């Protein structure tokens, strides 16, 4: 559509010299015939030409803005979609709550980093959605439906990722708590065993000392 309007604008511009020649011819006629009707005809035609040129320029400006808005939406959608794909892969490879304590701690650290990144990336997500919705009034019915489907898919991916992230954080935190609880119980029991063994050894040594009958 922009190309069409630009072609029309070029055609309008190309006819400007003709209008200027017509104006000059009208002035010459007035000088020789004193006919006052001719300038009026030319003024009407000139006013119509100016209005046409103004309308075409305004349409081109709107179309150029529309192209810019579409490009901004495409770039924003691609950026957040690529980020989501990468983040989702990282989530999938670090969400298993089964494993050694060190492994779980490392996975949980990755998940919590992703949660921070998600918070920081929320603005980018919103920009993409707002950029798409901004195009609705100036886009054809078919194009508008395509954008709606893209935004619907983007929202679903975002919500699915957010839910998966929260679930992974919960499950890994629970697994790590279990490990810490086990470590504490193990340490307490180990210390009790050590103290008991020392006490028993001391008691046996005391009983076997000379004169202890």
């Amino acid at each position: 559509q922009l190309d069409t309007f630009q072609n029309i604008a070029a055609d309008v511009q190309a006819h400007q010299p003709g209008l200027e020649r017509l104006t000059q011819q009208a002035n010459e006629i007035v000088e020789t015939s004193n006919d006052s009707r001719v300038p009026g005809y030319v003024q009407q035609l000139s006013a119509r030409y100016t209005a046409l040129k103004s309308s075409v320029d305004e349409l081109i400006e709107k179309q150029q803005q529309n192209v810019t808005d579409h490009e901004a939406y495409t770039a924003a959608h691609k950026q957040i979609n690529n980020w989501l794909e990468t983040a989702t892969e990282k989530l999938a490879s670090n969400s298993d709550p089964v494993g050694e304590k060190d492994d779980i701690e490392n996975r949980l650290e990755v998940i919590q980093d992703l949660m921070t990144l998600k918070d920081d990336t929320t603005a980018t997500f919103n920009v993409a959605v707002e950029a798409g919705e901004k195009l609705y009034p100036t886009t054809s019915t078919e194009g508008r439906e395509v954008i709606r489907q893209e935004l619907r898919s983007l929202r679903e991916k975002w919500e699915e990722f957010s839910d998966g992230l929260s679930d992974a954080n919960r499950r890994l935190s629970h697994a790590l708590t279990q490990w810490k609880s086990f470590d504490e119980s193990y340490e307490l029991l180990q210390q009790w065993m050590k103290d008991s063994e020392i006490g028993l050894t001391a008691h046996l040594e005391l009983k076997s000392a000379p004169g202890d009958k």
Side-chain angles (χ1 to χ4, degrees):
Q1 233 180 3
L2 178 59
D3 290 341
T4 300
F5 289 133
Q6 287 175 333
N7 290 336
I8 294 174
D11 188 42
V12 170
Q13 187 65 35
H15 282 80
Q16 185 171 351
L19 180 63
E20 293 172 350
R21 283 194 303 271
L22 186 64
T23 302
Q24 184 178 357
Q25 291 171 350
N27 291 335
E28 292 172 354
I29 290 175
V30 169
E31 290 176 359
T32 57
S33 68
N34 202 28
D35 189 338
S36 60
R37 293 174 302 173
V38 174
Y41 297 151
V42 176
Q43 285 177 358
Q44 289 179 1
L45 193 61
S46 179
R48 289 169 61 190
Y49 175 86
T50 301
L52 175 64
K53 187 175 185 302
S54 178
S55 296
V56 172
D57 289 344
E58 183 179 346
L59 286 170
I60 288 176
E61 184 178 349
K62 287 182 178 179
Q63 285 299 315
Q64 287 175 332
Q65 184 60 51
N66 195 31
V67 169
T68 299
D69 291 343
H70 269 85
E71 290 174 347
Y73 163 67
T74 300
H77 182 274
K78 182 178 180 180
Q79 180 182 1
I80 188 62
N81 198 57
N82 289 346
W83 184 89
L84 266 174
E85 288 180 358
T86 301
T88 299
E89 289 176 1
K90 186 175 287 189
L91 168 62
S93 61
N94 288 278
S95 59
D96 189 358
V98 178
E100 298 294 329
K101 180 183 177 183
D102 289 345
D103 294 333
I104 291 175
E105 285 179 329
N106 291 335
R107 291 173 199 158
L108 183 59
E109 183 178 354
V110 171
I111 294 301
Q112 291 177 341
D113 286 345
L114 275 177
M115 294 179 77
T116 301
L117 283 173
K118 174 185 167 291
D119 291 340
D120 295 340
T121 311
T122 299
T124 306
F125 169 78
N126 290 334
V127 165
V129 172
E130 290 169 6
E133 292 175 341
K134 182 181 179 181
L135 297 175
Y136 288 164
T138 58
T139 305
S140 66
T141 302
E142 183 179 350
R144 194 159 54 243
E145 184 58 31
V146 170
I147 294 172
R148 279 201 180 99
Q149 291 177 0
E150 289 176 346
L151 292 182
R152 188 182 303 118
S153 175
L154 186 64
R155 287 190 180 99
E156 289 173 354
K157 287 180 181 179
W158 182 264
E159 291 174 4
E160 184 178 348
F161 172 72
S162 299
D163 292 344
L165 199 58
S166 297
D167 184 59
N169 182 63
R170 179 185 57 79
R171 290 187 294 116
L172 287 169
S173 296
H174 178 68
L176 186 58
T177 298
Q178 288 180 316
W179 265 108
K180 288 180 177 179
S181 177
F182 168 78
D183 286 346
E184 290 173 1
S185 298
Y186 179 81
E187 289 296 330
L188 287 173
L189 186 59
Q190 187 179 50
Q191 187 61 46
W192 173 81
M193 289 289 294
K194 182 179 179 180
D195 293 342
S196 297
E197 288 170 349
I198 292 173
L200 180 60
T201 300
H203 181 71
L204 291 175
E205 289 176 351
L206 185 60
K207 284 193 68 174
S208 61
D212 189 6
K213 301 293 184 183

mmCIF file with all atom_site columns, all heavy atoms in Angstrom, residues 125-146:
data_model
loop_
_atom_site.group_PDB
_atom_site.id
_atom_site.type_symbol
_atom_site.label_atom_id
_atom_site.label_alt_id
_atom_site.label_comp_id
_atom_site.label_asym_id
_atom_site.label_entity_id
_atom_site.label_seq_id
_atom_site.pdbx_PDB_ins_code
_atom_site.Cartn_x
_atom_site.Cartn_y
_atom_site.Cartn_z
_atom_site.occupancy
_atom_site.B_iso_or_equiv
_atom_site.pdbx_formal_charge
_atom_site.auth_seq_id
_atom_site.auth_comp_id
_atom_site.auth_asym_id
_atom_site.auth_atom_id
_atom_site.pdbx_PDB_model_num
ATOM 1   N N   . PHE A 1 125 ? 8.439   -8.415  27.331 1.00 0.00 ? 125 PHE A N   1
ATOM 2   C CA  . PHE A 1 125 ? 7.229   -9.161  26.972 1.00 0.00 ? 125 PHE A CA  1
ATOM 3   C C   . PHE A 1 125 ? 6.053   -8.202  26.765 1.00 0.00 ? 125 PHE A C   1
ATOM 4   O O   . PHE A 1 125 ? 5.324   -8.293  25.765 1.00 0.00 ? 125 PHE A O   1
ATOM 5   C CB  . PHE A 1 125 ? 6.912   -10.180 28.057 1.00 0.00 ? 125 PHE A CB  1
ATOM 6   C CG  . PHE A 1 125 ? 5.565   -10.830 27.925 1.00 0.00 ? 125 PHE A CG  1
ATOM 7   C CD1 . PHE A 1 125 ? 5.364   -11.845 27.011 1.00 0.00 ? 125 PHE A CD1 1
ATOM 8   C CD2 . PHE A 1 125 ? 4.496   -10.422 28.716 1.00 0.00 ? 125 PHE A CD2 1
ATOM 9   C CE1 . PHE A 1 125 ? 4.113   -12.448 26.869 1.00 0.00 ? 125 PHE A CE1 1
ATOM 10  C CE2 . PHE A 1 125 ? 3.257   -11.016 28.592 1.00 0.00 ? 125 PHE A CE2 1
ATOM 11  C CZ  . PHE A 1 125 ? 3.065   -12.022 27.670 1.00 0.00 ? 125 PHE A CZ  1
ATOM 12  N N   . ASN A 1 126 ? 5.885   -7.267  27.690 1.00 0.00 ? 126 ASN A N   1
ATOM 13  C CA  . ASN A 1 126 ? 4.785   -6.305  27.592 1.00 0.00 ? 126 ASN A CA  1
ATOM 14  C C   . ASN A 1 126 ? 4.925   -5.410  26.365 1.00 0.00 ? 126 ASN A C   1
ATOM 15  O O   . ASN A 1 126 ? 3.930   -5.061  25.726 1.00 0.00 ? 126 ASN A O   1
ATOM 16  C CB  . ASN A 1 126 ? 4.719   -5.450  28.859 1.00 0.00 ? 126 ASN A CB  1
ATOM 17  C CG  . ASN A 1 126 ? 4.263   -6.252  30.072 1.00 0.00 ? 126 ASN A CG  1
ATOM 18  O OD1 . ASN A 1 126 ? 3.554   -7.253  29.933 1.00 0.00 ? 126 ASN A OD1 1
ATOM 19  N ND2 . ASN A 1 126 ? 4.661   -5.835  31.254 1.00 0.00 ? 126 ASN A ND2 1
ATOM 20  N N   . VAL A 1 127 ? 6.163   -5.042  26.048 1.00 0.00 ? 127 VAL A N   1
ATOM 21  C CA  . VAL A 1 127 ? 6.409   -4.206  24.855 1.00 0.00 ? 127 VAL A CA  1
ATOM 22  C C   . VAL A 1 127 ? 5.945   -4.937  23.598 1.00 0.00 ? 127 VAL A C   1
ATOM 23  O O   . VAL A 1 127 ? 5.310   -4.344  22.712 1.00 0.00 ? 127 VAL A O   1
ATOM 24  C CB  . VAL A 1 127 ? 7.905   -3.840  24.750 1.00 0.00 ? 127 VAL A CB  1
ATOM 25  C CG1 . VAL A 1 127 ? 8.231   -3.297  23.353 1.00 0.00 ? 127 VAL A CG1 1
ATOM 26  C CG2 . VAL A 1 127 ? 8.273   -2.805  25.799 1.00 0.00 ? 127 VAL A CG2 1
ATOM 27  N N   . ALA A 1 128 ? 6.265   -6.220  23.500 1.00 0.00 ? 128 ALA A N   1
ATOM 28  C CA  . ALA A 1 128 ? 5.877   -7.009  22.327 1.00 0.00 ? 128 ALA A CA  1
ATOM 29  C C   . ALA A 1 128 ? 4.355   -7.102  22.210 1.00 0.00 ? 128 ALA A C   1
ATOM 30  O O   . ALA A 1 128 ? 3.789   -6.944  21.111 1.00 0.00 ? 128 ALA A O   1
ATOM 31  C CB  . ALA A 1 128 ? 6.484   -8.403  22.401 1.00 0.00 ? 128 ALA A CB  1
ATOM 32  N N   . VAL A 1 129 ? 3.685   -7.350  23.332 1.00 0.00 ? 129 VAL A N   1
ATOM 33  C CA  . VAL A 1 129 ? 2.221   -7.455  23.317 1.00 0.00 ? 129 VAL A CA  1
ATOM 34  C C   . VAL A 1 129 ? 1.580   -6.123  22.932 1.00 0.00 ? 129 VAL A C   1
ATOM 35  O O   . VAL A 1 129 ? 0.675   -6.062  22.081 1.00 0.00 ? 129 VAL A O   1
ATOM 36  C CB  . VAL A 1 129 ? 1.701   -7.916  24.697 1.00 0.00 ? 129 VAL A CB  1
ATOM 37  C CG1 . VAL A 1 129 ? 0.178   -7.842  24.743 1.00 0.00 ? 129 VAL A CG1 1
ATOM 38  C CG2 . VAL A 1 129 ? 2.164   -9.339  24.993 1.00 0.00 ? 129 VAL A CG2 1
ATOM 39  N N   . GLU A 1 130 ? 2.059   -5.049  23.535 1.00 0.00 ? 130 GLU A N   1
ATOM 40  C CA  . GLU A 1 130 ? 1.494   -3.724  23.242 1.00 0.00 ? 130 GLU A CA  1
ATOM 41  C C   . GLU A 1 130 ? 1.766   -3.316  21.793 1.00 0.00 ? 130 GLU A C   1
ATOM 42  O O   . GLU A 1 130 ? 0.904   -2.707  21.141 1.00 0.00 ? 130 GLU A O   1
ATOM 43  C CB  . GLU A 1 130 ? 2.083   -2.693  24.203 1.00 0.00 ? 130 GLU A CB  1
ATOM 44  C CG  . GLU A 1 130 ? 1.592   -2.865  25.636 1.00 0.00 ? 130 GLU A CG  1
ATOM 45  C CD  . GLU A 1 130 ? 2.382   -2.027  26.626 1.00 0.00 ? 130 GLU A CD  1
ATOM 46  O OE1 . GLU A 1 130 ? 3.238   -1.224  26.179 1.00 0.00 ? 130 GLU A OE1 1
ATOM 47  O OE2 . GLU A 1 130 ? 2.130   -2.159  27.837 1.00 0.00 ? 130 GLU A OE2 1
ATOM 48  N N   . ALA A 1 131 ? 2.940   -3.670  21.279 1.00 0.00 ? 131 ALA A N   1
ATOM 49  C CA  . ALA A 1 131 ? 3.273   -3.340  19.889 1.00 0.00 ? 131 ALA A CA  1
ATOM 50  C C   . ALA A 1 131 ? 2.351   -4.074  18.924 1.00 0.00 ? 131 ALA A C   1
ATOM 51  O O   . ALA A 1 131 ? 1.954   -3.520  17.883 1.00 0.00 ? 131 ALA A O   1
ATOM 52  C CB  . ALA A 1 131 ? 4.730   -3.692  19.603 1.00 0.00 ? 131 ALA A CB  1
ATOM 53  N N   . GLY A 1 132 ? 2.024   -5.323  19.241 1.00 0.00 ? 132 GLY A N   1
ATOM 54  C CA  . GLY A 1 132 ? 1.113   -6.082  18.395 1.00 0.00 ? 132 GLY A CA  1
ATOM 55  C C   . GLY A 1 132 ? -0.304  -5.535  18.439 1.00 0.00 ? 132 GLY A C   1
ATOM 56  O O   . GLY A 1 132 ? -0.957  -5.359  17.401 1.00 0.00 ? 132 GLY A O   1
ATOM 57  N N   . GLU A 1 133 ? -0.790  -5.246  19.645 1.00 0.00 ? 133 GLU A N   1
ATOM 58  C CA  . GLU A 1 133 ? -2.151  -4.723  19.802 1.00 0.00 ? 133 GLU A CA  1
ATOM 59  C C   . GLU A 1 133 ? -2.292  -3.351  19.153 1.00 0.00 ? 133 GLU A C   1
ATOM 60  O O   . GLU A 1 133 ? -3.382  -2.983  18.681 1.00 0.00 ? 133 GLU A O   1
ATOM 61  C CB  . GLU A 1 133 ? -2.510  -4.662  21.283 1.00 0.00 ? 133 GLU A CB  1
ATOM 62  C CG  . GLU A 1 133 ? -2.645  -6.040  21.921 1.00 0.00 ? 133 GLU A CG  1
ATOM 63  C CD  . GLU A 1 133 ? -2.886  -5.976  23.422 1.00 0.00 ? 133 GLU A CD  1
ATOM 64  O OE1 . GLU A 1 133 ? -2.595  -4.904  24.008 1.00 0.00 ? 133 GLU A OE1 1
ATOM 65  O OE2 . GLU A 1 133 ? -3.355  -6.977  24.001 1.00 0.00 ? 133 GLU A OE2 1
ATOM 66  N N   . LYS A 1 134 ? -1.218  -2.587  19.114 1.00 0.00 ? 134 LYS A N   1
ATOM 67  C CA  . LYS A 1 134 ? -1.233  -1.258  18.500 1.00 0.00 ? 134 LYS A CA  1
ATOM 68  C C   . LYS A 1 134 ? -1.532  -1.329  17.004 1.00 0.00 ? 134 LYS A C   1
ATOM 69  O O   . LYS A 1 134 ? -2.042  -0.369  16.406 1.00 0.00 ? 134 LYS A O   1
ATOM 70  C CB  . LYS A 1 134 ? 0.123   -0.577  18.731 1.00 0.00 ? 134 LYS A CB  1
ATOM 71  C CG  . LYS A 1 134 ? 0.232   0.832   18.183 1.00 0.00 ? 134 LYS A CG  1
ATOM 72  C CD  . LYS A 1 134 ? 1.611   1.405   18.447 1.00 0.00 ? 134 LYS A CD  1
ATOM 73  C CE  . LYS A 1 134 ? 1.743   2.812   17.869 1.00 0.00 ? 134 LYS A CE  1
ATOM 74  N NZ  . LYS A 1 134 ? 3.106   3.367   18.111 1.00 0.00 ? 134 LYS A NZ  1
ATOM 75  N N   . LEU A 1 135 ? -1.248  -2.476  16.387 1.00 0.00 ? 135 LEU A N   1
ATOM 76  C CA  . LEU A 1 135 ? -1.424  -2.627  14.944 1.00 0.00 ? 135 LEU A CA  1
ATOM 77  C C   . LEU A 1 135 ? -2.861  -2.957  14.537 1.00 0.00 ? 135 LEU A C   1
ATOM 78  O O   . LEU A 1 135 ? -3.204  -2.853  13.354 1.00 0.00 ? 135 LEU A O   1
ATOM 79  C CB  . LEU A 1 135 ? -0.496  -3.730  14.422 1.00 0.00 ? 135 LEU A CB  1
ATOM 80  C CG  . LEU A 1 135 ? 1.011   -3.487  14.577 1.00 0.00 ? 135 LEU A CG  1
ATOM 81  C CD1 . LEU A 1 135 ? 1.779   -4.715  14.121 1.00 0.00 ? 135 LEU A CD1 1
ATOM 82  C CD2 . LEU A 1 135 ? 1.443   -2.265  13.776 1.00 0.00 ? 135 LEU A CD2 1
ATOM 83  N N   . TYR A 1 136 ? -3.698  -3.376  15.493 1.00 0.00 ? 136 TYR A N   1
ATOM 84  C CA  . TYR A 1 136 ? -5.054  -3.812  15.159 1.00 0.00 ? 136 TYR A CA  1
ATOM 85  C C   . TYR A 1 136 ? -5.836  -2.804  14.306 1.00 0.00 ? 136 TYR A C   1
ATOM 86  O O   . TYR A 1 136 ? -6.425  -3.177  13.291 1.00 0.00 ? 136 TYR A O   1
ATOM 87  C CB  . TYR A 1 136 ? -5.844  -4.122  16.435 1.00 0.00 ? 136 TYR A CB  1
ATOM 88  C CG  . TYR A 1 136 ? -5.410  -5.390  17.158 1.00 0.00 ? 136 TYR A CG  1
ATOM 89  C CD1 . TYR A 1 136 ? -5.790  -5.620  18.473 1.00 0.00 ? 136 TYR A CD1 1
ATOM 90  C CD2 . TYR A 1 136 ? -4.630  -6.350  16.535 1.00 0.00 ? 136 TYR A CD2 1
ATOM 91  C CE1 . TYR A 1 136 ? -5.400  -6.769  19.141 1.00 0.00 ? 136 TYR A CE1 1
ATOM 92  C CE2 . TYR A 1 136 ? -4.230  -7.499  17.189 1.00 0.00 ? 136 TYR A CE2 1
ATOM 93  C CZ  . TYR A 1 136 ? -4.628  -7.703  18.497 1.00 0.00 ? 136 TYR A CZ  1
ATOM 94  O OH  . TYR A 1 136 ? -4.238  -8.848  19.156 1.00 0.00 ? 136 TYR A OH  1
ATOM 95  N N   . PRO A 1 137 ? -5.873  -1.517  14.684 1.00 0.00 ? 137 PRO A N   1
ATOM 96  C CA  . PRO A 1 137 ? -6.718  -0.579  13.928 1.00 0.00 ? 137 PRO A CA  1
ATOM 97  C C   . PRO A 1 137 ? -6.243  -0.333  12.498 1.00 0.00 ? 137 PRO A C   1
ATOM 98  O O   . PRO A 1 137 ? -7.046  0.060   11.648 1.00 0.00 ? 137 PRO A O   1
ATOM 99  C CB  . PRO A 1 137 ? -6.635  0.713   14.760 1.00 0.00 ? 137 PRO A CB  1
ATOM 100 C CG  . PRO A 1 137 ? -6.146  0.302   16.105 1.00 0.00 ? 137 PRO A CG  1
ATOM 101 C CD  . PRO A 1 137 ? -5.260  -0.869  15.863 1.00 0.00 ? 137 PRO A CD  1
ATOM 102 N N   . THR A 1 138 ? -4.969  -0.529  12.219 1.00 0.00 ? 138 THR A N   1
ATOM 103 C CA  . THR A 1 138 ? -4.424  -0.176  10.901 1.00 0.00 ? 138 THR A CA  1
ATOM 104 C C   . THR A 1 138 ? -4.058  -1.399  10.061 1.00 0.00 ? 138 THR A C   1
ATOM 105 O O   . THR A 1 138 ? -3.381  -1.271  9.046  1.00 0.00 ? 138 THR A O   1
ATOM 106 C CB  . THR A 1 138 ? -3.169  0.708   11.069 1.00 0.00 ? 138 THR A CB  1
ATOM 107 O OG1 . THR A 1 138 ? -2.198  0.014   11.861 1.00 0.00 ? 138 THR A OG1 1
ATOM 108 C CG2 . THR A 1 138 ? -3.522  2.018   11.745 1.00 0.00 ? 138 THR A CG2 1
ATOM 109 N N   . THR A 1 139 ? -4.487  -2.582  10.519 1.00 0.00 ? 139 THR A N   1
ATOM 110 C CA  . THR A 1 139 ? -4.138  -3.820  9.811  1.00 0.00 ? 139 THR A CA  1
ATOM 111 C C   . THR A 1 139 ? -5.391  -4.462  9.238  1.00 0.00 ? 139 THR A C   1
ATOM 112 O O   . THR A 1 139 ? -6.479  -4.356  9.815  1.00 0.00 ? 139 THR A O   1
ATOM 113 C CB  . THR A 1 139 ? -3.442  -4.801  10.783 1.00 0.00 ? 139 THR A CB  1
ATOM 114 O OG1 . THR A 1 139 ? -2.329  -4.143  11.385 1.00 0.00 ? 139 THR A OG1 1
ATOM 115 C CG2 . THR A 1 139 ? -2.938  -6.029  10.063 1.00 0.00 ? 139 THR A CG2 1
ATOM 116 N N   . SER A 1 140 ? -5.241  -5.134  8.109  1.00 0.00 ? 140 SER A N   1
ATOM 117 C CA  . SER A 1 140 ? -6.374  -5.815  7.484  1.00 0.00 ? 140 SER A CA  1
ATOM 118 C C   . SER A 1 140 ? -6.907  -6.915  8.409  1.00 0.00 ? 140 SER A C   1
ATOM 119 O O   . SER A 1 140 ? -6.230  -7.343  9.344  1.00 0.00 ? 140 SER A O   1
ATOM 120 C CB  . SER A 1 140 ? -5.943  -6.430  6.157  1.00 0.00 ? 140 SER A CB  1
ATOM 121 O OG  . SER A 1 140 ? -4.987  -7.465  6.379  1.00 0.00 ? 140 SER A OG  1
ATOM 122 N N   . THR A 1 141 ? -8.120  -7.359  8.123  1.00 0.00 ? 141 THR A N   1
ATOM 123 C CA  . THR A 1 141 ? -8.748  -8.400  8.951  1.00 0.00 ? 141 THR A CA  1
ATOM 124 C C   . THR A 1 141 ? -7.877  -9.652  9.022  1.00 0.00 ? 141 THR A C   1
ATOM 125 O O   . THR A 1 141 ? -7.675  -10.227 10.100 1.00 0.00 ? 141 THR A O   1
ATOM 126 C CB  . THR A 1 141 ? -10.132 -8.766  8.383  1.00 0.00 ? 141 THR A CB  1
ATOM 127 O OG1 . THR A 1 141 ? -10.947 -7.592  8.332  1.00 0.00 ? 141 THR A OG1 1
ATOM 128 C CG2 . THR A 1 141 ? -10.813 -9.810  9.263  1.00 0.00 ? 141 THR A CG2 1
ATOM 129 N N   . GLU A 1 142 ? -7.353  -10.051 7.873  1.00 0.00 ? 142 GLU A N   1
ATOM 130 C CA  . GLU A 1 142 ? -6.505  -11.249 7.826  1.00 0.00 ? 142 GLU A CA  1
ATOM 131 C C   . GLU A 1 142 ? -5.216  -11.042 8.619  1.00 0.00 ? 142 GLU A C   1
ATOM 132 O O   . GLU A 1 142 ? -4.808  -11.897 9.403  1.00 0.00 ? 142 GLU A O   1
ATOM 133 C CB  . GLU A 1 142 ? -6.167  -11.581 6.375  1.00 0.00 ? 142 GLU A CB  1
ATOM 134 C CG  . GLU A 1 142 ? -5.337  -12.856 6.211  1.00 0.00 ? 142 GLU A CG  1
ATOM 135 C CD  . GLU A 1 142 ? -5.042  -13.165 4.754  1.00 0.00 ? 142 GLU A CD  1
ATOM 136 O OE1 . GLU A 1 142 ? -5.636  -12.501 3.883  1.00 0.00 ? 142 GLU A OE1 1
ATOM 137 O OE2 . GLU A 1 142 ? -4.229  -14.061 4.498  1.00 0.00 ? 142 GLU A OE2 1
ATOM 138 N N   . GLY A 1 143 ? -4.579  -9.887  8.432  1.00 0.00 ? 143 GLY A N   1
ATOM 139 C CA  . GLY A 1 143 ? -3.344  -9.592  9.153  1.00 0.00 ? 143 GLY A CA  1
ATOM 140 C C   . GLY A 1 143 ? -3.569  -9.456  10.645 1.00 0.00 ? 143 GLY A C   1
ATOM 141 O O   . GLY A 1 143 ? -2.742  -9.875  11.453 1.00 0.00 ? 143 GLY A O   1
ATOM 142 N N   . ARG A 1 144 ? -4.724  -8.879  11.006 1.00 0.00 ? 144 ARG A N   1
ATOM 143 C CA  . ARG A 1 144 ? -5.060  -8.711  12.422 1.00 0.00 ? 144 ARG A CA  1
ATOM 144 C C   . ARG A 1 144 ? -5.209  -10.059 13.106 1.00 0.00 ? 144 ARG A C   1
ATOM 145 O O   . ARG A 1 144 ? -4.767  -10.252 14.240 1.00 0.00 ? 144 ARG A O   1
ATOM 146 C CB  . ARG A 1 144 ? -6.344  -7.885  12.533 1.00 0.00 ? 144 ARG A CB  1
ATOM 147 C CG  . ARG A 1 144 ? -6.628  -7.364  13.928 1.00 0.00 ? 144 ARG A CG  1
ATOM 148 C CD  . ARG A 1 144 ? -7.579  -6.175  13.910 1.00 0.00 ? 144 ARG A CD  1
ATOM 149 N NE  . ARG A 1 144 ? -8.811  -6.437  13.193 1.00 0.00 ? 144 ARG A NE  1
ATOM 150 C CZ  . ARG A 1 144 ? -9.188  -5.796  12.089 1.00 0.00 ? 144 ARG A CZ  1
ATOM 151 N NH1 . ARG A 1 144 ? -8.414  -4.861  11.568 1.00 0.00 ? 144 ARG A NH1 1
ATOM 152 N NH2 . ARG A 1 144 ? -10.339 -6.078  11.509 1.00 0.00 ? 144 ARG A NH2 1
ATOM 153 N N   . GLU A 1 145 ? -5.811  -11.017 12.400 1.00 0.00 ? 145 GLU A N   1
ATOM 154 C CA  . GLU A 1 145 ? -5.997  -12.360 12.969 1.00 0.00 ? 145 GLU A CA  1
ATOM 155 C C   . GLU A 1 145 ? -4.657  -13.063 13.159 1.00 0.00 ? 145 GLU A C   1
ATOM 156 O O   . GLU A 1 145 ? -4.454  -13.776 14.154 1.00 0.00 ? 145 GLU A O   1
ATOM 157 C CB  . GLU A 1 145 ? -6.913  -13.188 12.071 1.00 0.00 ? 145 GLU A CB  1
ATOM 158 C CG  . GLU A 1 145 ? -7.248  -14.567 12.641 1.00 0.00 ? 145 GLU A CG  1
ATOM 159 C CD  . GLU A 1 145 ? -7.903  -14.503 14.007 1.00 0.00 ? 145 GLU A CD  1
ATOM 160 O OE1 . GLU A 1 145 ? -8.616  -13.519 14.296 1.00 0.00 ? 145 GLU A OE1 1
ATOM 161 O OE2 . GLU A 1 145 ? -7.693  -15.438 14.811 1.00 0.00 ? 145 GLU A OE2 1
ATOM 162 N N   . VAL A 1 146 ? -3.735  -12.854 12.224 1.00 0.00 ? 146 VAL A N   1
ATOM 163 C CA  . VAL A 1 146 ? -2.395  -13.440 12.355 1.00 0.00 ? 146 VAL A CA  1
ATOM 164 C C   . VAL A 1 146 ? -1.703  -12.902 13.600 1.00 0.00 ? 146 VAL A C   1
ATOM 165 O O   . VAL A 1 146 ? -1.102  -13.661 14.378 1.00 0.00 ? 146 VAL A O   1
ATOM 166 C CB  . VAL A 1 146 ? -1.541  -13.123 11.100 1.00 0.00 ? 146 VAL A CB  1
ATOM 167 C CG1 . VAL A 1 146 ? -0.081  -13.510 11.340 1.00 0.00 ? 146 VAL A CG1 1
ATOM 168 C CG2 . VAL A 1 146 ? -2.083  -13.867 9.893  1.00 0.00 ? 146 VAL A CG2 1
#
